[in-house]
PDB file of all heavy atoms in Angstrom:
ATOM      1  N   GLY A 178       0.824  -1.202   0.023  1.00  0.00           N
ATOM      2  CA  GLY A 178      -0.013   0.001  -0.001  1.00  0.00           C
ATOM      3  C   GLY A 178       0.853   1.248  -0.017  1.00  0.00           C
ATOM      4  O   GLY A 178       0.543   2.214  -0.707  1.00  0.00           O
ATOM      5  N   ASP A 179       1.946   1.192   0.780  1.00  0.00           N
ATOM      6  CA  ASP A 179       2.839   2.354   0.812  1.00  0.00           C
ATOM      7  C   ASP A 179       3.491   2.555  -0.569  1.00  0.00           C
ATOM      8  O   ASP A 179       3.556   3.697  -1.073  1.00  0.00           O
ATOM      9  CB  ASP A 179       3.930   2.201   1.883  1.00  0.00           C
ATOM     10  CG  ASP A 179       3.357   2.282   3.266  1.00  0.00           C
ATOM     11  OD1 ASP A 179       2.219   2.771   3.428  1.00  0.00           O
ATOM     12  OD2 ASP A 179       4.059   1.847   4.222  1.00  0.00           O
ATOM     13  N   SER A 180       3.950   1.446  -1.139  1.00  0.00           N
ATOM     14  CA  SER A 180       4.598   1.557  -2.453  1.00  0.00           C
ATOM     15  C   SER A 180       3.609   1.966  -3.550  1.00  0.00           C
ATOM     16  O   SER A 180       3.942   2.719  -4.447  1.00  0.00           O
ATOM     17  CB  SER A 180       5.299   0.258  -2.837  1.00  0.00           C
ATOM     18  OG  SER A 180       4.389  -0.779  -3.008  1.00  0.00           O
ATOM     19  N   LEU A 181       2.351   1.460  -3.459  1.00  0.00           N
ATOM     20  CA  LEU A 181       1.332   1.847  -4.406  1.00  0.00           C
ATOM     21  C   LEU A 181       0.995   3.323  -4.250  1.00  0.00           C
ATOM     22  O   LEU A 181       0.790   4.033  -5.232  1.00  0.00           O
ATOM     23  CB  LEU A 181       0.070   0.986  -4.256  1.00  0.00           C
ATOM     24  CG  LEU A 181       0.175  -0.443  -4.756  1.00  0.00           C
ATOM     25  CD1 LEU A 181      -1.116  -1.184  -4.454  1.00  0.00           C
ATOM     26  CD2 LEU A 181       0.454  -0.500  -6.222  1.00  0.00           C
ATOM     27  N   GLY A 182       0.901   3.769  -2.985  1.00  0.00           N
ATOM     28  CA  GLY A 182       0.661   5.181  -2.720  1.00  0.00           C
ATOM     29  C   GLY A 182       1.742   6.054  -3.291  1.00  0.00           C
ATOM     30  O   GLY A 182       1.480   7.125  -3.915  1.00  0.00           O
ATOM     31  N   GLU A 183       2.990   5.627  -3.091  1.00  0.00           N
ATOM     32  CA  GLU A 183       4.137   6.354  -3.644  1.00  0.00           C
ATOM     33  C   GLU A 183       4.106   6.359  -5.148  1.00  0.00           C
ATOM     34  O   GLU A 183       4.305   7.399  -5.795  1.00  0.00           O
ATOM     35  CB  GLU A 183       5.431   5.761  -3.152  1.00  0.00           C
ATOM     36  CG  GLU A 183       5.708   5.961  -1.678  1.00  0.00           C
ATOM     37  CD  GLU A 183       6.918   5.158  -1.186  1.00  0.00           C
ATOM     38  OE1 GLU A 183       7.596   4.521  -2.019  1.00  0.00           O
ATOM     39  OE2 GLU A 183       7.196   5.223   0.017  1.00  0.00           O
ATOM     40  N   GLY A 184       3.829   5.201  -5.748  1.00  0.00           N
ATOM     41  CA  GLY A 184       3.719   5.087  -7.238  1.00  0.00           C
ATOM     42  C   GLY A 184       2.596   5.959  -7.754  1.00  0.00           C
ATOM     43  O   GLY A 184       2.756   6.608  -8.789  1.00  0.00           O
ATOM     44  N   LEU A 185       1.463   5.964  -7.036  1.00  0.00           N
ATOM     45  CA  LEU A 185       0.333   6.785  -7.487  1.00  0.00           C
ATOM     46  C   LEU A 185       0.667   8.282  -7.416  1.00  0.00           C
ATOM     47  O   LEU A 185       0.401   9.016  -8.341  1.00  0.00           O
ATOM     48  CB  LEU A 185      -0.896   6.502  -6.611  1.00  0.00           C
ATOM     49  CG  LEU A 185      -2.181   7.187  -6.994  1.00  0.00           C
ATOM     50  CD1 LEU A 185      -2.613   6.772  -8.404  1.00  0.00           C
ATOM     51  CD2 LEU A 185      -3.272   6.861  -5.996  1.00  0.00           C
ATOM     52  N   SER A 186       1.346   8.697  -6.384  1.00  0.00           N
ATOM     53  CA  SER A 186       1.714  10.101  -6.267  1.00  0.00           C
ATOM     54  C   SER A 186       2.752  10.442  -7.361  1.00  0.00           C
ATOM     55  O   SER A 186       2.696  11.521  -7.961  1.00  0.00           O
ATOM     56  CB  SER A 186       2.267  10.424  -4.876  1.00  0.00           C
ATOM     57  OG  SER A 186       3.476   9.718  -4.634  1.00  0.00           O
ATOM     58  N   GLU A 187       3.674   9.507  -7.650  1.00  0.00           N
ATOM     59  CA  GLU A 187       4.648   9.750  -8.722  1.00  0.00           C
ATOM     60  C   GLU A 187       3.923   9.861 -10.078  1.00  0.00           C
ATOM     61  O   GLU A 187       4.280  10.689 -10.917  1.00  0.00           O
ATOM     62  CB  GLU A 187       5.680   8.640  -8.785  1.00  0.00           C
ATOM     63  CG  GLU A 187       6.658   8.687  -7.629  1.00  0.00           C
ATOM     64  CD  GLU A 187       7.590   7.456  -7.609  1.00  0.00           C
ATOM     65  OE1 GLU A 187       7.570   6.676  -8.600  1.00  0.00           O
ATOM     66  OE2 GLU A 187       8.307   7.314  -6.642  1.00  0.00           O
ATOM     67  N   LEU A 188       2.927   8.965 -10.294  1.00  0.00           N
ATOM     68  CA  LEU A 188       2.168   9.036 -11.531  1.00  0.00           C
ATOM     69  C   LEU A 188       1.391  10.340 -11.639  1.00  0.00           C
ATOM     70  O   LEU A 188       1.294  10.933 -12.762  1.00  0.00           O
ATOM     71  CB  LEU A 188       1.205   7.844 -11.642  1.00  0.00           C
ATOM     72  CG  LEU A 188       1.842   6.501 -11.956  1.00  0.00           C
ATOM     73  CD1 LEU A 188       0.798   5.397 -11.917  1.00  0.00           C
ATOM     74  CD2 LEU A 188       2.451   6.518 -13.329  1.00  0.00           C
ATOM     75  N   ARG A 189       0.824  10.804 -10.560  1.00  0.00           N
ATOM     76  CA  ARG A 189       0.114  12.080 -10.611  1.00  0.00           C
ATOM     77  C   ARG A 189       1.073  13.227 -10.946  1.00  0.00           C
ATOM     78  O   ARG A 189       0.749  14.092 -11.763  1.00  0.00           O
ATOM     79  CB  ARG A 189      -0.571  12.318  -9.272  1.00  0.00           C
ATOM     80  CG  ARG A 189      -1.789  11.511  -9.025  1.00  0.00           C
ATOM     81  CD  ARG A 189      -2.445  11.820  -7.728  1.00  0.00           C
ATOM     82  NE  ARG A 189      -3.604  11.002  -7.514  1.00  0.00           N
ATOM     83  CZ  ARG A 189      -4.091  10.687  -6.336  1.00  0.00           C
ATOM     84  NH1 ARG A 189      -3.561  11.154  -5.244  1.00  0.00           N
ATOM     85  NH2 ARG A 189      -5.136   9.904  -6.248  1.00  0.00           N
ATOM     86  N   GLU A 190       2.232  13.224 -10.306  1.00  0.00           N
ATOM     87  CA  GLU A 190       3.206  14.268 -10.609  1.00  0.00           C
ATOM     88  C   GLU A 190       3.617  14.214 -12.029  1.00  0.00           C
ATOM     89  O   GLU A 190       3.749  15.234 -12.736  1.00  0.00           O
ATOM     90  CB  GLU A 190       4.427  14.110  -9.689  1.00  0.00           C
ATOM     91  CG  GLU A 190       4.180  14.446  -8.249  1.00  0.00           C
ATOM     92  CD  GLU A 190       5.363  14.135  -7.364  1.00  0.00           C
ATOM     93  OE1 GLU A 190       6.446  13.798  -7.871  1.00  0.00           O
ATOM     94  OE2 GLU A 190       5.191  14.205  -6.129  1.00  0.00           O
ATOM     95  N   GLN A 191       3.876  13.015 -12.558  1.00  0.00           N
ATOM     96  CA  GLN A 191       4.260  12.827 -13.937  1.00  0.00           C
ATOM     97  C   GLN A 191       3.153  13.289 -14.900  1.00  0.00           C
ATOM     98  O   GLN A 191       3.412  13.938 -15.926  1.00  0.00           O
ATOM     99  CB  GLN A 191       4.641  11.373 -14.205  1.00  0.00           C
ATOM    100  CG  GLN A 191       5.228  11.134 -15.596  1.00  0.00           C
ATOM    101  CD  GLN A 191       5.635   9.691 -15.765  1.00  0.00           C
ATOM    102  OE1 GLN A 191       5.334   8.821 -14.933  1.00  0.00           O
ATOM    103  NE2 GLN A 191       6.302   9.394 -16.836  1.00  0.00           N
ATOM    104  N   MET A 192       1.916  12.953 -14.551  1.00  0.00           N
ATOM    105  CA  MET A 192       0.784  13.385 -15.383  1.00  0.00           C
ATOM    106  C   MET A 192       0.665  14.905 -15.412  1.00  0.00           C
ATOM    107  O   MET A 192       0.406  15.498 -16.479  1.00  0.00           O
ATOM    108  CB  MET A 192      -0.522  12.786 -14.839  1.00  0.00           C
ATOM    109  CG  MET A 192      -1.724  13.023 -15.751  1.00  0.00           C
ATOM    110  SD  MET A 192      -3.230  12.273 -15.147  1.00  0.00           S
ATOM    111  CE  MET A 192      -3.677  13.375 -13.843  1.00  0.00           C
ATOM    112  N   VAL A 193       0.872  15.567 -14.323  1.00  0.00           N
ATOM    113  CA  VAL A 193       0.844  17.037 -14.277  1.00  0.00           C
ATOM    114  C   VAL A 193       1.941  17.584 -15.138  1.00  0.00           C
ATOM    115  O   VAL A 193       1.749  18.497 -15.938  1.00  0.00           O
ATOM    116  CB  VAL A 193       0.935  17.544 -12.792  1.00  0.00           C
ATOM    117  CG1 VAL A 193       1.203  19.039 -12.751  1.00  0.00           C
ATOM    118  CG2 VAL A 193      -0.337  17.197 -12.043  1.00  0.00           C
ATOM    119  N   ARG A 194       3.159  17.020 -15.024  1.00  0.00           N
ATOM    120  CA  ARG A 194       4.262  17.526 -15.840  1.00  0.00           C
ATOM    121  C   ARG A 194       3.972  17.303 -17.310  1.00  0.00           C
ATOM    122  O   ARG A 194       4.235  18.172 -18.143  1.00  0.00           O
ATOM    123  CB  ARG A 194       5.583  16.808 -15.437  1.00  0.00           C
ATOM    124  CG  ARG A 194       6.151  17.248 -14.130  1.00  0.00           C
ATOM    125  CD  ARG A 194       7.583  16.713 -13.934  1.00  0.00           C
ATOM    126  NE  ARG A 194       7.715  15.315 -14.185  1.00  0.00           N
ATOM    127  CZ  ARG A 194       7.669  14.346 -13.214  1.00  0.00           C
ATOM    128  NH1 ARG A 194       7.481  14.693 -11.977  1.00  0.00           N
ATOM    129  NH2 ARG A 194       7.854  13.084 -13.529  1.00  0.00           N
ATOM    130  N   LEU A 195       3.468  16.116 -17.684  1.00  0.00           N
ATOM    131  CA  LEU A 195       3.201  15.820 -19.093  1.00  0.00           C
ATOM    132  C   LEU A 195       2.051  16.699 -19.602  1.00  0.00           C
ATOM    133  O   LEU A 195       2.121  17.154 -20.768  1.00  0.00           O
ATOM    134  CB  LEU A 195       2.858  14.339 -19.253  1.00  0.00           C
ATOM    135  CG  LEU A 195       4.049  13.387 -19.108  1.00  0.00           C
ATOM    136  CD1 LEU A 195       3.540  11.914 -19.182  1.00  0.00           C
ATOM    137  CD2 LEU A 195       5.087  13.628 -20.133  1.00  0.00           C
ATOM    138  N   THR A 196       1.057  16.936 -18.781  1.00  0.00           N
ATOM    139  CA  THR A 196      -0.034  17.824 -19.215  1.00  0.00           C
ATOM    140  C   THR A 196       0.502  19.226 -19.488  1.00  0.00           C
ATOM    141  O   THR A 196       0.133  19.824 -20.498  1.00  0.00           O
ATOM    142  CB  THR A 196      -1.140  17.845 -18.142  1.00  0.00           C
ATOM    143  OG1 THR A 196      -1.558  16.496 -17.901  1.00  0.00           O
ATOM    144  CG2 THR A 196      -2.322  18.721 -18.579  1.00  0.00           C
ATOM    145  N   LEU A 197       1.320  19.715 -18.589  1.00  0.00           N
ATOM    146  CA  LEU A 197       1.913  21.023 -18.814  1.00  0.00           C
ATOM    147  C   LEU A 197       2.766  21.015 -20.078  1.00  0.00           C
ATOM    148  O   LEU A 197       2.729  21.982 -20.874  1.00  0.00           O
ATOM    149  CB  LEU A 197       2.750  21.449 -17.626  1.00  0.00           C
ATOM    150  CG  LEU A 197       2.032  21.824 -16.329  1.00  0.00           C
ATOM    151  CD1 LEU A 197       2.970  22.029 -15.177  1.00  0.00           C
ATOM    152  CD2 LEU A 197       1.146  23.017 -16.547  1.00  0.00           C
ATOM    153  N   ARG A 198       3.563  19.987 -20.267  1.00  0.00           N
ATOM    154  CA  ARG A 198       4.388  19.888 -21.494  1.00  0.00           C
ATOM    155  C   ARG A 198       3.532  19.866 -22.752  1.00  0.00           C
ATOM    156  O   ARG A 198       3.853  20.552 -23.737  1.00  0.00           O
ATOM    157  CB  ARG A 198       5.264  18.658 -21.366  1.00  0.00           C
ATOM    158  CG  ARG A 198       6.275  18.549 -22.457  1.00  0.00           C
ATOM    159  CD  ARG A 198       7.189  17.382 -22.201  1.00  0.00           C
ATOM    160  NE  ARG A 198       8.182  17.280 -23.242  1.00  0.00           N
ATOM    161  CZ  ARG A 198       8.988  16.281 -23.417  1.00  0.00           C
ATOM    162  NH1 ARG A 198       8.948  15.280 -22.542  1.00  0.00           N
ATOM    163  NH2 ARG A 198       9.861  16.257 -24.400  1.00  0.00           N
ATOM    164  N   VAL A 199       2.485  19.024 -22.766  1.00  0.00           N
ATOM    165  CA  VAL A 199       1.603  18.936 -23.915  1.00  0.00           C
ATOM    166  C   VAL A 199       0.952  20.282 -24.176  1.00  0.00           C
ATOM    167  O   VAL A 199       0.821  20.733 -25.320  1.00  0.00           O
ATOM    168  CB  VAL A 199       0.542  17.827 -23.696  1.00  0.00           C
ATOM    169  CG1 VAL A 199      -0.576  17.921 -24.736  1.00  0.00           C
ATOM    170  CG2 VAL A 199       1.210  16.483 -23.772  1.00  0.00           C
ATOM    171  N   ASN A 200       0.516  20.957 -23.128  1.00  0.00           N
ATOM    172  CA  ASN A 200      -0.121  22.281 -23.332  1.00  0.00           C
ATOM    173  C   ASN A 200       0.878  23.282 -23.879  1.00  0.00           C
ATOM    174  O   ASN A 200       0.561  24.079 -24.756  1.00  0.00           O
ATOM    175  CB  ASN A 200      -0.697  22.804 -22.006  1.00  0.00           C
ATOM    176  CG  ASN A 200      -1.947  22.048 -21.607  1.00  0.00           C
ATOM    177  OD1 ASN A 200      -2.600  21.435 -22.453  1.00  0.00           O
ATOM    178  ND2 ASN A 200      -2.292  22.081 -20.346  1.00  0.00           N
ATOM    179  N   ARG A 201       2.166  23.262 -23.423  1.00  0.00           N
ATOM    180  CA  ARG A 201       3.173  24.179 -23.961  1.00  0.00           C
ATOM    181  C   ARG A 201       3.467  23.827 -25.431  1.00  0.00           C
ATOM    182  O   ARG A 201       3.579  24.732 -26.284  1.00  0.00           O
ATOM    183  CB  ARG A 201       4.455  24.049 -23.167  1.00  0.00           C
ATOM    184  CG  ARG A 201       4.427  24.958 -21.938  1.00  0.00           C
ATOM    185  CD  ARG A 201       5.782  25.006 -21.273  1.00  0.00           C
ATOM    186  NE  ARG A 201       5.664  24.110 -20.075  1.00  0.00           N
ATOM    187  CZ  ARG A 201       6.614  23.296 -19.667  1.00  0.00           C
ATOM    188  NH1 ARG A 201       7.781  23.255 -20.213  1.00  0.00           N
ATOM    189  NH2 ARG A 201       6.396  22.538 -18.603  1.00  0.00           N
ATOM    190  N   ILE A 202       3.595  22.534 -25.732  1.00  0.00           N
ATOM    191  CA  ILE A 202       3.833  22.139 -27.131  1.00  0.00           C
ATOM    192  C   ILE A 202       2.661  22.506 -27.998  1.00  0.00           C
ATOM    193  O   ILE A 202       2.838  23.032 -29.107  1.00  0.00           O
ATOM    194  CB  ILE A 202       4.162  20.657 -27.199  1.00  0.00           C
ATOM    195  CG1 ILE A 202       5.489  20.380 -26.513  1.00  0.00           C
ATOM    196  CG2 ILE A 202       4.177  20.149 -28.634  1.00  0.00           C
ATOM    197  CD1 ILE A 202       5.830  18.872 -26.391  1.00  0.00           C
ATOM    198  N   SER A 203       1.443  22.300 -27.477  1.00  0.00           N
ATOM    199  CA  SER A 203       0.237  22.610 -28.273  1.00  0.00           C
ATOM    200  C   SER A 203       0.189  24.108 -28.543  1.00  0.00           C
ATOM    201  O   SER A 203      -0.155  24.527 -29.652  1.00  0.00           O
ATOM    202  CB  SER A 203      -1.037  22.183 -27.528  1.00  0.00           C
ATOM    203  OG  SER A 203      -1.070  20.804 -27.434  1.00  0.00           O
ATOM    204  N   SER A 204       0.463  24.893 -27.528  1.00  0.00           N
ATOM    205  CA  SER A 204       0.441  26.347 -27.739  1.00  0.00           C
ATOM    206  C   SER A 204       1.549  26.793 -28.678  1.00  0.00           C
ATOM    207  O   SER A 204       1.360  27.684 -29.496  1.00  0.00           O
ATOM    208  CB  SER A 204       0.495  27.113 -26.442  1.00  0.00           C
ATOM    209  OG  SER A 204       1.756  26.913 -25.825  1.00  0.00           O
ATOM    210  N   TYR A 205       2.709  26.149 -28.638  1.00  0.00           N
ATOM    211  CA  TYR A 205       3.823  26.478 -29.534  1.00  0.00           C
ATOM    212  C   TYR A 205       3.484  26.141 -30.954  1.00  0.00           C
ATOM    213  O   TYR A 205       3.785  26.902 -31.884  1.00  0.00           O
ATOM    214  CB  TYR A 205       5.073  25.727 -29.090  1.00  0.00           C
ATOM    215  CG  TYR A 205       6.284  25.967 -29.989  1.00  0.00           C
ATOM    216  CD1 TYR A 205       6.959  27.165 -29.914  1.00  0.00           C
ATOM    217  CD2 TYR A 205       6.643  25.006 -30.885  1.00  0.00           C
ATOM    218  CE1 TYR A 205       8.052  27.397 -30.735  1.00  0.00           C
ATOM    219  CE2 TYR A 205       7.738  25.220 -31.707  1.00  0.00           C
ATOM    220  CZ  TYR A 205       8.447  26.419 -31.632  1.00  0.00           C
ATOM    221  OH  TYR A 205       9.519  26.636 -32.455  1.00  0.00           O
ATOM    222  N   LEU A 206       2.814  24.954 -31.150  1.00  0.00           N
ATOM    223  CA  LEU A 206       2.445  24.541 -32.523  1.00  0.00           C
ATOM    224  C   LEU A 206       1.177  25.195 -32.982  1.00  0.00           C
ATOM    225  O   LEU A 206       0.773  25.070 -34.125  1.00  0.00           O
ATOM    226  CB  LEU A 206       2.305  23.038 -32.580  1.00  0.00           C
ATOM    227  CG  LEU A 206       3.576  22.213 -32.379  1.00  0.00           C
ATOM    228  CD1 LEU A 206       3.246  20.770 -32.327  1.00  0.00           C
ATOM    229  CD2 LEU A 206       4.551  22.497 -33.458  1.00  0.00           C
ATOM    230  N   GLY A 207       0.524  25.871 -32.088  1.00  0.00           N
ATOM    231  CA  GLY A 207      -0.747  26.530 -32.455  1.00  0.00           C
ATOM    232  C   GLY A 207      -1.927  25.589 -32.491  1.00  0.00           C
ATOM    233  O   GLY A 207      -2.880  25.783 -33.222  1.00  0.00           O
ATOM    234  N   LEU A 208      -1.853  24.536 -31.698  1.00  0.00           N
ATOM    235  CA  LEU A 208      -2.945  23.584 -31.603  1.00  0.00           C
ATOM    236  C   LEU A 208      -3.730  23.877 -30.325  1.00  0.00           C
ATOM    237  O   LEU A 208      -3.231  24.336 -29.355  1.00  0.00           O
ATOM    238  CB  LEU A 208      -2.396  22.155 -31.527  1.00  0.00           C
ATOM    239  CG  LEU A 208      -1.540  21.683 -32.688  1.00  0.00           C
ATOM    240  CD1 LEU A 208      -0.951  20.301 -32.392  1.00  0.00           C
ATOM    241  CD2 LEU A 208      -2.370  21.621 -33.967  1.00  0.00           C
ATOM    242  N   GLU A 209      -5.020  23.563 -30.446  1.00  0.00           N
ATOM    243  CA  GLU A 209      -5.865  23.697 -29.246  1.00  0.00           C
ATOM    244  C   GLU A 209      -5.607  22.467 -28.385  1.00  0.00           C
ATOM    245  O   GLU A 209      -5.171  21.450 -28.863  1.00  0.00           O
ATOM    246  CB  GLU A 209      -7.338  23.750 -29.653  1.00  0.00           C
ATOM    247  CG  GLU A 209      -7.693  25.061 -30.336  1.00  0.00           C
ATOM    248  CD  GLU A 209      -9.202  25.159 -30.631  1.00  0.00           C
ATOM    249  OE1 GLU A 209      -9.977  24.289 -30.082  1.00  0.00           O
ATOM    250  OE2 GLU A 209      -9.582  25.974 -31.394  1.00  0.00           O
ATOM    251  N   PRO A 210      -5.872  22.592 -27.133  1.00  0.00           N
ATOM    252  CA  PRO A 210      -5.680  21.436 -26.235  1.00  0.00           C
ATOM    253  C   PRO A 210      -6.637  20.262 -26.695  1.00  0.00           C
ATOM    254  O   PRO A 210      -7.552  20.503 -27.458  1.00  0.00           O
ATOM    255  CB  PRO A 210      -6.113  21.938 -24.874  1.00  0.00           C
ATOM    256  CG  PRO A 210      -6.090  23.427 -24.953  1.00  0.00           C
ATOM    257  CD  PRO A 210      -6.269  23.764 -26.393  1.00  0.00           C
ATOM    258  N   MET A 211      -6.319  19.121 -26.232  1.00  0.00           N
ATOM    259  CA  MET A 211      -7.088  17.941 -26.599  1.00  0.00           C
ATOM    260  C   MET A 211      -8.547  18.126 -26.246  1.00  0.00           C
ATOM    261  O   MET A 211      -8.907  18.584 -25.158  1.00  0.00           O
ATOM    262  CB  MET A 211      -6.557  16.695 -25.875  1.00  0.00           C
ATOM    263  CG  MET A 211      -5.098  16.390 -26.212  1.00  0.00           C
ATOM    264  SD  MET A 211      -4.896  15.978 -27.892  1.00  0.00           S
ATOM    265  CE  MET A 211      -4.902  14.237 -27.783  1.00  0.00           C
ATOM    266  N   VAL A 212      -9.434  17.743 -27.212  1.00  0.00           N
ATOM    267  CA  VAL A 212     -10.876  17.909 -26.966  1.00  0.00           C
ATOM    268  C   VAL A 212     -11.446  16.494 -26.717  1.00  0.00           C
ATOM    269  O   VAL A 212     -11.256  15.591 -27.508  1.00  0.00           O
ATOM    270  CB  VAL A 212     -11.565  18.525 -28.225  1.00  0.00           C
ATOM    271  CG1 VAL A 212     -13.036  18.588 -28.033  1.00  0.00           C
ATOM    272  CG2 VAL A 212     -10.938  19.840 -28.528  1.00  0.00           C
ATOM    273  N   PRO A 213     -12.113  16.359 -25.564  1.00  0.00           N
ATOM    274  CA  PRO A 213     -12.729  15.028 -25.360  1.00  0.00           C
ATOM    275  C   PRO A 213     -13.870  14.815 -26.296  1.00  0.00           C
ATOM    276  O   PRO A 213     -14.549  15.743 -26.712  1.00  0.00           O
ATOM    277  CB  PRO A 213     -13.207  15.122 -23.893  1.00  0.00           C
ATOM    278  CG  PRO A 213     -13.353  16.577 -23.587  1.00  0.00           C
ATOM    279  CD  PRO A 213     -12.355  17.256 -24.475  1.00  0.00           C
ATOM    280  N   PRO A 214     -14.117  13.567 -26.719  1.00  0.00           N
ATOM    281  CA  PRO A 214     -15.193  13.268 -27.657  1.00  0.00           C
ATOM    282  C   PRO A 214     -16.554  13.505 -27.033  1.00  0.00           C
ATOM    283  O   PRO A 214     -16.752  13.309 -25.857  1.00  0.00           O
ATOM    284  CB  PRO A 214     -14.987  11.823 -28.020  1.00  0.00           C
ATOM    285  CG  PRO A 214     -14.258  11.233 -26.855  1.00  0.00           C
ATOM    286  CD  PRO A 214     -13.420  12.336 -26.289  1.00  0.00           C
ATOM    287  N   THR A 215     -17.491  13.954 -27.865  1.00  0.00           N
ATOM    288  CA  THR A 215     -18.862  14.157 -27.402  1.00  0.00           C
ATOM    289  C   THR A 215     -19.616  12.899 -27.708  1.00  0.00           C
ATOM    290  O   THR A 215     -19.156  11.959 -28.354  1.00  0.00           O
ATOM    291  CB  THR A 215     -19.505  15.349 -28.117  1.00  0.00           C
ATOM    292  OG1 THR A 215     -19.529  15.085 -29.508  1.00  0.00           O
ATOM    293  CG2 THR A 215     -18.719  16.628 -27.837  1.00  0.00           C
ATOM    294  N   GLU A 216     -20.835  12.878 -27.264  1.00  0.00           N
ATOM    295  CA  GLU A 216     -21.655  11.677 -27.491  1.00  0.00           C
ATOM    296  C   GLU A 216     -22.034  11.551 -28.975  1.00  0.00           C
ATOM    297  O   GLU A 216     -22.194  10.455 -29.478  1.00  0.00           O
ATOM    298  CB  GLU A 216     -22.935  11.728 -26.625  1.00  0.00           C
ATOM    299  CG  GLU A 216     -22.640  11.510 -25.171  1.00  0.00           C
ATOM    300  CD  GLU A 216     -23.895  11.439 -24.339  1.00  0.00           C
ATOM    301  OE1 GLU A 216     -25.010  11.213 -24.895  1.00  0.00           O
ATOM    302  OE2 GLU A 216     -23.845  11.660 -23.133  1.00  0.00           O
ATOM    303  N   LYS A 217     -22.137  12.641 -29.670  1.00  0.00           N
ATOM    304  CA  LYS A 217     -22.433  12.586 -31.111  1.00  0.00           C
ATOM    305  C   LYS A 217     -21.240  12.060 -31.880  1.00  0.00           C
ATOM    306  O   LYS A 217     -21.369  11.239 -32.736  1.00  0.00           O
ATOM    307  CB  LYS A 217     -22.835  13.975 -31.649  1.00  0.00           C
ATOM    308  CG  LYS A 217     -24.090  14.511 -31.090  1.00  0.00           C
ATOM    309  CD  LYS A 217     -24.347  15.878 -31.686  1.00  0.00           C
ATOM    310  CE  LYS A 217     -25.563  16.542 -31.045  1.00  0.00           C
ATOM    311  NZ  LYS A 217     -25.766  17.871 -31.547  1.00  0.00           N
ATOM    312  N   ASP A 218     -20.089  12.592 -31.536  1.00  0.00           N
ATOM    313  CA  ASP A 218     -18.850  12.148 -32.203  1.00  0.00           C
ATOM    314  C   ASP A 218     -18.196  11.155 -31.282  1.00  0.00           C
ATOM    315  O   ASP A 218     -17.781  11.473 -30.197  1.00  0.00           O
ATOM    316  CB  ASP A 218     -17.892  13.323 -32.398  1.00  0.00           C
ATOM    317  CG  ASP A 218     -18.538  14.490 -33.204  1.00  0.00           C
ATOM    318  OD1 ASP A 218     -19.382  14.156 -34.032  1.00  0.00           O
ATOM    319  OD2 ASP A 218     -18.187  15.656 -32.934  1.00  0.00           O
ATOM    320  N   THR A 219     -18.081   9.955 -31.793  1.00  0.00           N
ATOM    321  CA  THR A 219     -17.449   8.916 -30.944  1.00  0.00           C
ATOM    322  C   THR A 219     -16.204   8.374 -31.619  1.00  0.00           C
ATOM    323  O   THR A 219     -16.170   7.223 -32.035  1.00  0.00           O
ATOM    324  CB  THR A 219     -18.457   7.747 -30.676  1.00  0.00           C
ATOM    325  OG1 THR A 219     -18.917   7.297 -31.928  1.00  0.00           O
ATOM    326  CG2 THR A 219     -19.594   8.197 -29.813  1.00  0.00           C
ATOM    327  N   PRO A 220     -15.152   9.168 -31.804  1.00  0.00           N
ATOM    328  CA  PRO A 220     -13.936   8.647 -32.366  1.00  0.00           C
ATOM    329  C   PRO A 220     -13.214   7.754 -31.325  1.00  0.00           C
ATOM    330  O   PRO A 220     -13.496   7.809 -30.150  1.00  0.00           O
ATOM    331  CB  PRO A 220     -13.121   9.881 -32.696  1.00  0.00           C
ATOM    332  CG  PRO A 220     -13.602  10.948 -31.774  1.00  0.00           C
ATOM    333  CD  PRO A 220     -15.064  10.613 -31.533  1.00  0.00           C
TER     334      PRO A 220
END
């Protein structure tokens, strides 16, 4: 449980870093952030 908690916190930190990185890259390339699919569009 301790190791899973540590792993989970590491994954959260990594997800935050990657989200920030993706947002910076998207803004640099002129892309909008990822759009979640709607119920009409189910890609």
Side-chain angles (χ1 to χ4, degrees):
D179 291 344
S180 65
L181 288 176
E183 291 172 3
L185 184 61
S186 64
E187 289 174 8
L188 286 175
R189 285 182 182 155
E190 290 173 9
Q191 187 178 9
M192 187 177 75
V193 168
R194 285 192 311 265
L195 289 175
T196 303
L197 290 173
R198 187 174 180 190
V199 166
N200 287 339
R201 275 189 258 142
I202 292 172
S203 294
S204 67
Y205 178 75
L206 294 175
L208 301 174
E209 290 184 14
M211 299 296 263
V212 177
T215 61
E216 288 184 21
K217 293 179 186 177
D218 303 329
T219 55

